[in-house]
């Protein structure tokens, strides 16, 4: 695998923590932020799949039964927030026709 170099900015206390952890583990300083970035990207990809599945389920249901009531759409959105698939600001009311992502 070819590695690409990136530059990141962190507060001094985070820099100290990263350097201390890398030293403790006997690893390069760049390994820790790189692993964190890979994990974050993986989680984001899984969340995107979850949101897509939720949209697909809602579309499938609504194609056979009509639009979900506003209260049900709001409960679905709150579930996605609790599952970590949407941000907390997603708790705002959801008008009909609004995607859940």
């Amino acid at each position: 695998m070819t590695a690409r170099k990136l530059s990141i900015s962190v507060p001094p206390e985070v820099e100290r923590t990263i350097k201390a952890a890398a030293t403790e583990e006997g690893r390069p300083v760049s390994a820790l932020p790189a692993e964190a970035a890979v994990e974050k990207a993986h989680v984001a990809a899984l969340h995107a799949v979850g949101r897509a599945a939720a949209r697909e389920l809602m579309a499938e249901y609504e194609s056979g039964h009509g639009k979900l009531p506003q209260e049900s759409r709001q409960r679905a959105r709150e579930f996605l927030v609790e599952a970590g698939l949407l941000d907390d600001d997603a708790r705002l009311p959801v008008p009909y026709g609004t995607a859940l992502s």
Side-chain angles (χ1 to χ4, degrees), residues 11-13 18 21-22 31-34 36-37 39 43-44 54 57-58 61 64 68-69 72 77 83 86 89 94 96:
E13 63 275 8
I18 291 170
L32 279 80
E39 178 63 22
V43 168
L57 286 170
M58 283 195 59
Y61 177 87
L68 283 172
S72 296
R77 182 173 283 264
L86 290 177
D89 63 353
V94 186
Y96 281 140

Side-chain angles (χ1 to χ4, degrees), residues 1-83:
M1 176 177 91
T2 303
R4 303 276 309 215
K5 188 173 190 171
L6 296 176
S7 175
I8 64 168
S9 299
V10 296
E13 63 275 8
V14 174
E15 177 187 15
R16 288 189 296 274
T17 301
I18 291 170
K19 287 181 175 180
T23 299
E24 176 70 26
E25 295 178 15
R27 301 172 63 202
V29 171
S30 63
L32 279 80
E35 287 175 3
V38 168
E39 178 63 22
K40 177 71 174 175
H42 179 71
V43 168
L46 289 175
H47 285 186
V49 168
R51 287 189 303 272
R55 284 191 303 272
E56 184 178 326
L57 286 170
M58 283 195 59
E60 183 179 321
Y61 177 87
E62 288 182 340
S63 72
H65 300 88
K67 290 281 187 188
L68 283 172
Q70 179 65 27
E71 182 179 309
S72 296
R73 294 182 67 79
Q74 187 62 34
R75 282 197 325 262
R77 182 173 283 264
E78 288 171 1
F79 171 80
L80 293 174
V81 169
E82 289 172 16

